[in-house]
Amino acid sequence: MSRAPIHKSTATIRRLSPKRPAFALVVAISLMSFILLLTLSLSTLSQVELASATHDQQRQDARENARLGLLIALGKLQQSAGPDQRVTARADILGDNHYADGNQYWTGVWNTTNINAAPVWLVSGETDVTAEFLSGESLVKASASVIDGHTKAAIRVPKIEINENGVHVGNYAFWISGENDKIALSALERIHDFPTTKTERRYLEFQNGAPDLNYLSGEGYSTPETDNFNLEADPALSNRLDVAFSNNQLTALELSSGQPAFPEWRADSFSHNATAASWTVLANSNHGGLKANLLDETLNDPMATRATRDFLSGYPDPLLAAPGNAPPLRKEGEPYFAPQTIPTEIVLWMGIFHTWKDAQLRIRFHVEAEFWNPYTLPLIYPPDPDPMHDRAFVVRFENLPTITIRQATKKRVAPTITEDLNDLSAYPTPNDPRKGISSWIDIAPIDLEDRPQLEPGEVYRVMEPNPMVQTEGLARDFGTQLWAEEYDTRPPDNAKIEIKAKHPKDGVRIIIEDYLSGQPVFTIENLKFDDFTIKKTFRKTNSSDAADSFSRPESLTYSVEDYTIAYHFRLATDESDPGVLKELLDGLDLQHPVLDAGATFTDHEGVTYKVSDFIDSASTDPADAAQLKANTFSLLDIYRDATTRSHKLSERVLAYDLPRDDSDFVSLGALRYLPRWKKASTTMGMPHSDANNDIFDRFFVEDSNKSNPHLAYLDATGSPDLAEVASSALVKGGFNVNSTSVAAWATFLSSRGLIETTSGDEEYARNLFTRLPYYSAANPRIEISTTKLETTPFYFPPVYQQGMRQLDSAKAKDQLLFIAKGIVTHLKTRGKPYKSVQEFLDAGIIQDLLESPETADGGGINANIMKNSNVYITQGDIAAQRAELLTARSDTFLIRSFGDAVDPYTNEVAARAWIEAIVRRKPTLITEAAPHLNATALNPRKFEIVSWRWLDKSEVQ
């Protein structure tokens, strides 16, 4: 049977169906909540992103405004400092009370064609340096100096508004620092990168200088324990200094002790005294245009001669003496170089007598002399053709008197004889062509066989003929008439004889001639001597006074001890006034082939002297031979030789330093020893009318075979044609003489170098000053200590025997800071910058300070030091050693620029940014004109950005 299907109740179904719509509602509400939350989240995220984008845009706007300030700063720099005839200095050069606090570090640009006109200040806006900008933008923060302890105000400059469509949207501000007012630490790399040997390193250190960085920390070097910058003992620091390119890299440098190398720099995030690197253009700030290379053979200038090029290229060891130096047709001031010895003392010993044997009146004489090699190289002469001699030159006397000899009794039998001593017959051959009084001079060889030679600075004494071999001397017949018994012309015994001399008006002349060529090498003119009368007895019968007897048995019995006449010449540098050499070297060119005793000269202080004041004859009366014998060739002279005809025991007097041909470097400073016709020698760099200090502004030196270590070429390919160097290179580490940084000046004046101790060990010395840099490089020994430098009559010669001086370490800091502060004080008192290096050197600022008797410790740097000795430091020494670095302006600048973005709705600053850039002037003009032309306001030289970085707020505020 079938069963019906079972169905659920419809009522049941109806009871279940109402629950389904409620669940859907819950789901729907949840989904809507999620969507709402998502929408709110997206909205919030969009708002955050929008706010972030707005802030990024504002920060970007602030940076763009900072970049705008940088570009405007570059434009102002291009316009004001791009021309050549401009100099720069900080505002504090105006003097105290002429600038607002903080504004002393503003850089001004002066036009050298009108130096008294108001400068352009390298800050944003048209500003007044005396105005305070308390609401201005701080670009260098305030801090206390660790060097002098003074609080330095923040550097603030006015902000310039930026408007768009009349709406204020931001500001910019900038400040520019002249980096050549500071010490460039990159200059140290030449000490480590260039030299290949220790000698080469010394050439570089002594001729080009290596500053002592201790003065940048305010400490100064006093003992090895206080030497914070012993780069030799801390090569890691040395290497880091070499490669540091930007200022912020140098702030992080630490000493081996872990202390910051430059604490002030780290504290301030800036240094007013040092910079990582700086460059200057080889341009003339006074007259405009690029400097000329003196080693360029195509250069048409009175200084650019073959003599100049040969001199700067250097000389071999030994140095060959010039074959002659007859005054050619040279122009005044023209460079020349004809190395020769200088006679420092000459005596013509002479006697006139009658010989009983042949009835002849006769003259016998000896010539005694000292010859000085003033150079720092050995001086040699060609070999003598006669192997029995080593003759270097001949000493000849001219303008000697006319002498009359007569029998001074009433009853005369002897004829009166008058003879000109300049025209005498030789003896014993009347037909011998030699006339007058002359003698050759033998100089003994040393290293080279048969080559007469003088050591560097050697004084060599000799008498000719050699009295040990020929005591009777050389002879000349006096007249042709005989005083003979057979002619009834012989005076009786005990008759009085009168010898009377009358000198020419022009004075006696002594000529030193080259032996082989016969050409004069040195002439002494216008030596004034008194006329004289000598009375003798013809033949004295009283044997106790035989020396008074005019007649001798024969000629050979009249010897050197019998001379009654003497003509004496001596440079006045003996114990009576040892400082007199200062005037001689300062005012005269002793290398000039003519010393005119009748002339005058002017020293660097403007004092006029007679040359004759510096010629110290023991007596102007030639008949005073006895007195002369006791007062010639003193062993207390500066020029002295304790032995005759020998190279032993000769005192060295080194005066003229010569470049060496074995040196890899060339230096403009070497020109101080290049003689110029009729100009004082060694005056370059000094405040002297003959100094020719425009050399520093007009010239530089670079050679294809020798390097100028201060030049940095813009093209990595290296040195171009010598005529194009100035348009292709910059000077690395140039220093502005108008700098008002005491620490920078002290560091610039300081130096260090590798020397040799008396035991032969090597050590690095600080506070070195070199008078003779090339000699010192080859002979790096300080012969006398600081404690023995005081002038005493028995000790002064050694101060000429070394080429450098080391300051007393206990006093050096005070002494150098005294000079540095004195320079800065002078600049501020003057109230405006110098327009050229020449003008600065001619003012004699450094020389005056060096000669000051007082420093902070009560003793001047040259106190008790013999003037112009090799240990007496001069402005010329400093200028010559740093010749390539001296400039009167900055060509490298640090720009700090600020920018902010202002909210146009709230007018509040929304973002700020700071940028720092190093820029430098290039030799290239903005037009295609030749670079050597004067860069003018319409055609200035280009600037380029070397490096840049963004600054953090903590670095400026």
Side-chain angles (χ1 to χ4, degrees):
M1 154 175 116
S2 63
R3 299 181 66 179
I6 298 172
H7 298 279
K8 293 184 177 179
S9 172
T10 57
T12 302
I13 295 173
R14 287 177 185 156
R15 284 195 298 268
L16 295 173
S17 59
K19 295 180 180 180
R20 296 177 63 88
F23 176 76
L25 179 60
V26 171
V27 171
I29 292 172
S30 298
L31 289 173
M32 290 177 65
S33 298
F34 176 74
I35 291 171
L36 179 61
L37 179 62
L38 180 62
T39 301
L40 291 174
S41 299
L42 290 174
S43 176
T44 302
L45 181 62
S46 297
Q47 291 178 8
V48 170
E49 289 293 330
L50 180 60
S52 176
T54 301
H55 179 72
D56 285 346
Q57 182 60 49
Q58 290 170 335
R59 185 174 63 176
Q60 185 63 28
D61 289 345
R63 286 196 166 192
E64 288 301 324
N65 291 340
R67 289 193 186 100
L68 174 64
L70 175 61
L71 293 176
I72 294 174
L74 273 172
K76 190 168 189 177
L77 196 58
Q78 182 80 69
Q79 181 184 37
S80 57
D84 288 338
Q85 291 174 294
R86 302 291 186 271
V87 291
T88 64
R90 294 174 180 169
D92 57 354
I93 202 172
L94 299 175
D96 296 338
N97 303 320
H98 288 81
Y99 53 84
D101 192 20
N103 296 355
Q104 62 264 42
Y105 294 112
W106 287 10
T107 298
V109 181
W110 282 259
N111 188 329
T112 59
T113 62
N114 185 11
I115 198 67
N116 293 316
V120 175
W121 298 110
L122 298 179
V123 294
S124 48
E126 298 297 328
T127 55
D128 178 5
V129 73
T130 63
E132 290 185 315
F133 297 95
L134 299 179
S135 61
E137 185 58 34
S138 172
L139 292 175
V140 176
K141 60 186 178 182
S143 64
S145 172
V146 299
I147 291 181
D148 54 24
H150 297 163
T151 299
K152 297 182 297 185
I155 297 177
R156 296 182 178 275
V157 295
K159 293 188 288 188
I160 308 300
E161 286 191 2
I162 302 172
N163 297 292
E164 291 182 3
N165 300 319
V167 178
H168 181 203
V169 296
N171 302 279
Y172 74 85
F174 64 81
W175 166 79
I176 302 176
S177 167
E179 295 298 276
N180 296 106
D181 290 357
K182 311 171 185 178
I183 288 296
L185 302 184
S186 61
L188 291 174
E189 69 180 278
R190 67 179 184 269
I191 300 298
H192 301 282
D193 294 348
F194 280 93
T196 56
T197 66
K198 289 181 179 178
T199 300
E200 282 301 298
R201 174 165 183 163
R202 288 192 292 260
Y203 277 137
L204 195 57
E205 290 174 331
F206 296 154
Q207 182 60 64
N208 297 280
D212 182 0
L213 301 186
N214 286 286
Y215 289 94
L216 291 177
S217 65
E219 294 296 329
Y221 174 79
S222 57
T223 66
E225 291 73 26
T226 62
D227 187 0
N228 291 321
F229 288 92
N230 189 345
L231 302 184
E232 294 75 30
D234 190 357
L237 174 62
S238 175
N239 293 333
R240 289 193 294 270
L241 283 171
D242 289 349
V243 300
F245 186 75
S246 62
N247 290 349
N248 64 310
Q249 287 178 303
L250 291 171
T251 62
L253 284 184
E254 293 184 349
L255 301 169
S256 56
S257 63
Q259 297 299 313
F262 306 104
E264 184 175 45
W265 213 334
R266 179 172 291 186
D268 299 354
S269 300
F270 190 83
S271 175
H272 292 293
N273 306 309
T275 184
S278 65
W279 300 266
T280 55
V281 177
L282 289 159
N284 188 331
S285 62
N286 191 16
H287 300 293
L290 294 180
K291 296 180 182 181
N293 184 4
L294 273 177
L295 292 174
D296 172 21
E297 293 185 5
T298 66
L299 179 62
N300 182 20
D301 189 277
M303 277 296 297
T305 65
R306 176 64 180 272
T308 301
R309 294 191 295 272
D310 288 347
F311 188 87
L312 290 171
S313 297
Y315 294 95
D317 180 355
L319 175 69
L320 181 63
N325 203 359
L329 297 176
R330 291 192 179 111
K331 296 180 180 179
E332 184 172 335
E334 180 182 343
Y336 71 99
F337 186 61
Q340 269 292 350
T341 58
I342 296 174
T344 60
E345 188 166 7
I346 298 175
V347 182
L348 170 61
W349 303 106
M350 185 168 57
I352 305 176
F353 59 98
H354 170 267
T355 59
W356 193 269
K357 184 176 181 180
D358 59 9
Q360 178 73 53
L361 269 64
R362 188 160 288 122
I363 293 176
R364 282 202 176 273
F365 63 93
H366 275 83
V367 174
E368 188 171 12
E370 279 181 345
F371 294 93
W372 170 41
N373 172 16
Y375 305 106
T376 55
L377 285 172
L379 195 61
I380 61 170
Y381 290 83
D384 194 313
D386 186 344
M388 299 298 294
H389 292 282
D390 298 295
R391 293 168 290 193
F393 29 72
V394 171
V395 177
R396 187 178 305 280
F397 294 84
E398 294 184 354
N399 268 17
L400 288 170
T402 296
I403 290 184
T404 299
I405 301 177
R406 68 185 185 91
Q407 179 184 342
T409 55
K410 293 182 179 180
K411 184 179 180 182
R412 299 179 184 172
V413 295
T416 298
I417 301 176
T418 299
E419 275 282 13
D420 182 355
L421 294 190
N422 305 292
D423 188 17
L424 294 166
S425 298
Y427 171 84
T429 309
N431 295 325
D432 193 308
R434 291 177 296 168
K435 305 292 183 182
I437 306 295
S438 64
S439 175
W440 67 57
I441 300 294
D442 270 33
I443 296 180
I446 302 177
D447 299 323
L448 301 175
E449 186 176 357
D450 298 330
R451 300 291 294 266
Q453 179 175 336
L454 292 175
E455 289 286 74
E458 180 182 5
V459 178
Y460 187 86
R461 179 180 171 188
V462 61
M463 177 180 276
E464 295 290 0
N466 186 349
M468 301 298 293
V469 177
Q470 187 175 336
T471 184
E472 67 276 11
L474 300 174
R476 299 286 188 269
D477 285 342
F478 189 91
T480 58
Q481 293 177 285
L482 302 179
W483 284 7
E485 184 178 15
E486 58 186 294
Y487 301 117
D488 293 329
T489 57
R490 188 175 70 189
D493 290 347
N494 298 314
K496 298 301 180 181
I497 305 298
E498 182 183 79
I499 305 169
K500 193 168 186 177
K502 179 71 174 178
H503 290 88
K505 179 180 178 181
D506 293 338
V508 173
R509 182 185 302 117
I510 304 174
I511 303 173
I512 315 298
E513 300 173 350
D514 179 75
Y515 178 76
L516 291 181
S517 69
Q519 293 295 316
V521 296
F522 199 93
T523 301
I524 306 164
E525 295 184 337
N526 288 312
L527 293 174
K528 301 297 184 180
F529 292 95
D530 303 331
D531 295 338
F532 62 88
T533 300
I534 298 175
K535 294 185 177 181
K536 306 286 284 184
T537 301
F538 180 66
R539 189 170 66 157
K540 203 158 189 176
T541 56
N542 183 357
S543 59
S544 64
D545 194 15
D548 185 50
S549 181
F550 183 69
S551 183
R552 300 300 176 93
E554 56 181 323
S555 181
L556 295 179
T557 63
Y558 196 91
S559 66
V560 65
E561 291 82 9
D562 299 320
Y563 292 141
T564 56
I565 301 171
Y567 285 86
H568 181 222
F569 158 82
R570 175 172 57 194
L571 290 179
T573 58
D574 66 5
E575 68 277 10
S576 63
D577 186 6
V580 78
L581 186 60
K582 169 192 176 292
E583 282 79 16
L584 282 171
L585 294 180
D586 193 23
L588 287 175
D589 178 14
L590 290 180
Q591 299 179 83
H592 191 279
V594 177
L595 180 65
D596 186 352
T600 60
F601 68 90
T602 303
D603 73 353
H604 80 272
E605 297 172 346
V607 180
T608 300
Y609 295 97
K610 296 179 180 179
V611 175
S612 58
D613 293 339
F614 300 94
I615 295 176
D616 179 28
S617 297
S619 175
T620 59
D621 180 6
D624 194 10
Q627 176 69 20
L628 285 163
K629 289 177 182 178
N631 290 280
T632 55
F633 302 100
S634 168
L635 292 182
L636 298 180
D637 286 353
I638 288 179
Y639 307 112
R640 64 183 187 183
D641 184 4
T643 60
T644 59
R645 313 183 76 89
S646 169
H647 298 284
K648 297 178 181 180
L649 302 180
S650 173
E651 298 287 355
R652 302 293 179 89
V653 183
L654 298 163
Y656 304 124
D657 198 25
L658 301 181
R660 311 296 177 98
D661 63 357
D662 62 348
S663 170
D664 292 338
F665 305 104
V666 64
S667 170
L668 185 70
L671 288 176
R672 72 183 304 203
Y673 295 110
L674 174 64
R676 292 176 296 122
W677 194 250
K678 293 186 177 180
K679 293 291 184 180
S681 61
T682 69
T683 57
M684 177 179 164
M686 296 291 286
H688 192 286
S689 58
D690 285 349
N692 203 22
N693 286 327
D694 63 339
I695 286 175
F696 294 93
D697 298 299
R698 297 175 55 216
F699 302 111
F700 70 98
V701 290
E702 173 71 325
D703 191 29
S704 55
N705 298 318
K706 291 177 177 284
S707 171
N708 182 333
H710 299 285
L711 296 185
Y713 285 92
L714 298 171
D715 187 343
T717 57
S719 175
D721 183 89
L722 293 181
E724 305 300 326
V725 172
S727 61
S728 308
L730 297 171
V731 176
K732 197 169 186 178
F735 186 73
N736 185 0
V737 296
N738 293 308
S739 171
T740 51
S741 167
V742 172
W745 265 112
T747 307
F748 184 70
L749 294 170
S750 69
S751 61
R752 61 190 179 90
L754 183 66
I755 67 170
E756 193 176 274
T757 65
T758 54
S759 60
D761 298 327
E762 292 180 332
E763 67 177 26
Y764 284 92
R766 301 296 190 273
N767 305 311
L768 283 175
F769 287 85
T770 50
R771 170 67 55 79
L772 312 172
Y774 287 101
Y775 178 81
S776 298
N779 304 272
R781 182 173 295 184
I782 296 178
E783 299 289 345
I784 50 178
S785 66
T786 305
T787 57
K788 295 182 179 179
L789 288 180
E790 290 191 2
T791 302
T792 60
F794 299 100
Y795 199 79
F796 61 75
V799 299
Y800 294 99
Q801 295 178 358
Q802 64 190 46
M804 56 187 166
R805 173 184 167 196
Q806 183 180 17
L807 298 185
D808 185 342
S809 59
K811 300 179 180 180
K813 174 186 174 181
D814 287 335
Q815 290 173 336
L816 289 183
L817 286 176
F818 172 81
I819 297 172
K821 291 175 181 177
I823 294 171
V824 172
T825 298
H826 171 90
L827 291 171
K828 292 180 178 181
T829 302
R830 187 172 188 266
K832 60 183 177 182
Y834 285 97
K835 61 183 180 181
S836 65
V837 176
Q838 178 187 9
E839 188 181 30
F840 175 83
L841 294 175
D842 286 350
I845 308 167
I846 299 177
Q847 186 64 29
D848 290 343
L849 292 165
L850 289 169
E851 293 183 350
S852 173
E854 295 184 0
T855 61
D857 69 344
I861 200 169
N862 281 321
N864 300 318
I865 305 298
M866 180 182 292
K867 274 198 170 185
N868 221 53
S869 66
N870 292 346
V871 293
Y872 187 90
I873 302 168
T874 70
Q875 178 179 286
D877 298 331
I878 294 170
Q881 191 178 39
R882 297 156 179 81
E884 274 83 9
L885 297 177
L886 296 175
T887 179
R889 58 168 292 163
S890 280
D891 281 322
T892 304
F893 299 88
L894 180 145
I895 302 176
R896 280 195 169 180
S897 177
F898 160 81
D900 65 14
V902 175
D903 188 322
Y905 300 105
T906 64
N907 202 34
E908 293 183 355
V909 174
R912 299 157 68 86
W914 298 266
I915 190 173
E916 178 183 277
I918 299 292
V919 301
R920 65 185 181 188
R921 197 168 73 124
K922 298 175 62 179
T924 313
L925 297 170
I926 62 171
T927 67
E928 298 300 322
H932 70 274
L933 297 174
N934 180 24
T936 63
L938 297 177
N939 190 18
R941 301 197 188 277
K942 295 179 180 179
F943 278 85
E944 67 175 359
I945 297 178
V946 178
S947 65
W948 65 274
R949 68 186 182 102
W950 292 108
L951 301 176
D952 186 79
K953 180 180 178 180
S954 63
E955 295 184 79
V956 295
Q957 295 182 352

